[in-house]
Amino acid sequence: MEYCGIAMGGKIYSLRSAKGLTQEQLAEVLCISPAAVSKWERNLATPGLEMLCALADFFDCTIDELAGRTDRKLEQMGCYDRERLRMAETAKELLALSELSRQKGLLALEDKIAEYKGESRFLPFAVNFFIRSLCRQLEPARIAGWLEHYAETLPEQERMEGHMITRLLGMIVSGEQAELLREEAASYIGIGYREKLDGGRDFVRTGLSREELIESCRAKPLFSDRTSLLEELTSLGDFEIQVILRNLDNATLTAALCGASGGVLVRFLSNLSDRLLPFICEDMDSWQGTEEEILKAQRRILELSSRAAQE
C-alpha cells in the first residue's frame, strides 16, 4: 500500500526501529508471526483493517500517519533525529581527523580510526580504504568514486552519511580548510542541525564533562507546584528509566524534564547516551512551552513508568 509515493512498509519499519523493537518483538505484541511483520516492511503484504488499528494504537499514531500521509509522528518519535545525530557525530569525527592530518599527516588517520568507538559502520572502512589506496598511489578522485559506489550499497538510512564521509575524506586529502569541511558537512546534515554541528551545547566546547553537565542540572527548581508529577520517579532503577527512554520521543522528554526538579533531571539525564545528552540539555535551555505541555508530557512518562514496572 502506498500513499503520496511513500510505502507503508517503510513507515512500519521506521516506527518499529524508533521504539527499538525487533520484528519478533513487534510480532509478539500483535500476536502474529514475525514473517507477517517482515512481509509488511518489505511491502509484500499489507495489514488488514483490524491490524492497522492495532498498529496505530501501539505506535500512538493515526492510521493516516501509519499509511504515510504525514511524517509528523516519525519526526516526533525521533527516527530522523537519530540518523541526523549520528551524522553530526560522524561529521565531528571527520573534522577531528582533518585537524590530525594537518598536524601529523594522512598516515596518522589509520591509527586514530582504529580507536573509533562511534556508531558509523562506514567511517572506519572508508578511512582505511582511502589511506591504503593512496599508499598504492591511486588517484584521490578514483578512490572517492569507488567509495561513492560502496556508499550506494549501504542501507537507505545510512546512505547519505556514506556520501558525506566520502566527500569530506576527499576534502581532507586535498588539504581543504576546516571551515569549508564544516560547511560541507552541514549541507548534508541540514539546517536544523547546523548549530549542533558547530558545537551547540557540546562537552568539548563548554569544557564540561558528562558528570559536570549532569551535576549542573541538580539544583533546577520545579517549573510550578503542578509540575511535580515525576518526583516519585527518582527512586526508579536505571533499567526502568531506560525502558521509558526507549519508548519516548525527544520532544516529550524535553517538555517533561523542563517542568521537573533537578533530582528527576539527574536520574533521567544519567541514562542518556553521550551523543544525546548535550542535545537534550540544549533543547531544554531553548524550550519555551507552557505548563499544560509539561503536564501532558509528564503524564505520558507516568504511563510508560507503569508499563516499565511490569516488565
Side-chain angles (χ1 to χ4, degrees):
M1 183 179 294
E2 191 166 303
Y3 290 96
C4 305
I6 302 172
M8 183 189 292
K11 297 296 182 181
I12 296 174
Y13 167 81
S14 296
L15 287 165
R16 175 178 63 78
S17 299
K19 276 186 172 287
L21 298 176
T22 63
Q23 289 182 344
E24 290 76 12
Q25 289 169 325
L26 178 57
E28 184 177 354
V29 169
L30 299 172
C31 299
I32 58 174
S33 70
V37 176
S38 175
K39 287 182 179 180
W40 293 345
E41 294 185 354
R42 290 181 293 151
N43 294 304
L44 299 178
T46 55
L49 180 58
E50 182 178 349
M51 198 53 64
L52 276 174
C53 293
L55 284 165
D57 287 344
F58 178 71
F59 289 123
D60 191 23
C61 65
T62 67
I63 292 178
D64 273 354
E65 290 168 335
L66 187 64
R69 296 183 66 173
T70 171
D71 287 338
R72 180 178 62 82
K73 191 62 190 180
L74 291 180
E75 291 168 357
Q76 286 181 343
M77 290 193 69
C79 177
Y80 298 145
D81 282 354
R82 289 189 179 97
E83 293 170 19
R84 299 292 184 176
L85 286 172
R86 187 186 66 243
M87 286 182 66
E89 288 302 308
T90 301
K92 289 181 182 179
E93 191 72 32
L94 284 160
L95 290 170
L97 291 175
S98 172
E99 181 62 28
L100 179 64
S101 72
R102 281 193 292 273
Q103 294 176 0
K104 299 186 177 181
L106 287 170
L107 292 179
L109 303 190
E110 268 197 308
D111 291 336
K112 181 65 176 176
I113 204 65
E115 305 169 359
Y116 176 68
K117 300 186 185 302
E119 295 184 19
S120 172
R121 298 185 303 159
F122 191 66
L123 180 60
F125 166 78
V127 170
N128 287 320
F129 183 86
F130 220 120
I131 299 304
R132 291 170 189 176
S133 298
L134 285 173
C135 290
R136 292 164 55 199
Q137 298 185 334
L138 295 172
E139 296 179 0
R142 174 172 292 182
I143 302 168
W146 288 336
L147 279 178
E148 286 288 353
H149 295 160
Y150 280 120
E152 277 297 313
T153 69
L154 293 170
E156 184 177 356
Q157 64 269 27
E158 299 176 34
R159 209 167 294 156
M160 181 66 76
E161 180 187 51
H163 291 309
M164 179 188 74
I165 290 169
T166 300
R167 174 62 178 154
L168 265 62
L169 279 175
M171 294 177 70
I172 290 172
V173 169
S174 339
E176 297 276 10
Q177 296 178 353
E179 189 58 35
L180 294 179
L181 266 75
R182 190 180 301 275
E183 288 298 334
E184 189 73 22
S187 72
Y188 281 93
I189 298 171
I191 296 172
Y193 286 80
R194 191 177 186 284
E195 291 184 1
K196 296 185 189 306
L197 180 60
D198 284 338
R201 183 153 180 166
D202 175 329
F203 298 152
V204 176
R205 192 180 74 82
T206 61
L208 293 179
S209 67
R210 173 187 175 87
E211 291 73 20
E212 289 170 335
L213 186 56
I214 293 172
E215 191 62 28
S216 68
C217 298
R218 188 178 292 277
K220 178 188 173 299
L222 288 168
F223 183 87
S224 73
D225 291 339
R226 295 181 64 206
T227 63
S228 61
L229 303 184
L230 304 184
E231 298 309 297
E232 62 188 58
L233 301 188
T234 54
S235 60
L236 283 183
D238 288 343
F239 174 78
E240 289 82 3
I241 290 178
Q242 288 164 16
V243 170
I244 293 171
L245 290 172
R246 283 199 298 271
N247 290 279
L248 198 64
D249 61 89
N250 295 344
T252 300
L253 176 62
T254 299
L257 294 184
C258 281
S261 70
V264 173
L265 260 68
V266 168
R267 291 297 300 122
F268 276 81
L269 296 181
S270 297
N271 281 280
L272 291 176
S273 67
D274 288 346
R275 177 169 61 90
L276 191 55
L277 174 61
F279 297 144
I280 292 296
C281 289
E282 180 183 353
D283 289 344
M284 288 172 57
D285 285 344
S286 59
W287 191 80
Q288 296 181 341
T290 66
E291 183 179 76
E292 288 306 315
E293 289 175 310
I294 291 174
L295 292 172
K296 181 179 178 181
Q298 290 189 347
R299 291 187 191 106
R300 174 60 179 158
I301 289 182
L302 289 179
E303 291 174 11
L304 293 173
S305 72
S306 298
R307 296 182 195 175
Q310 298 170 9
E311 296 191 10

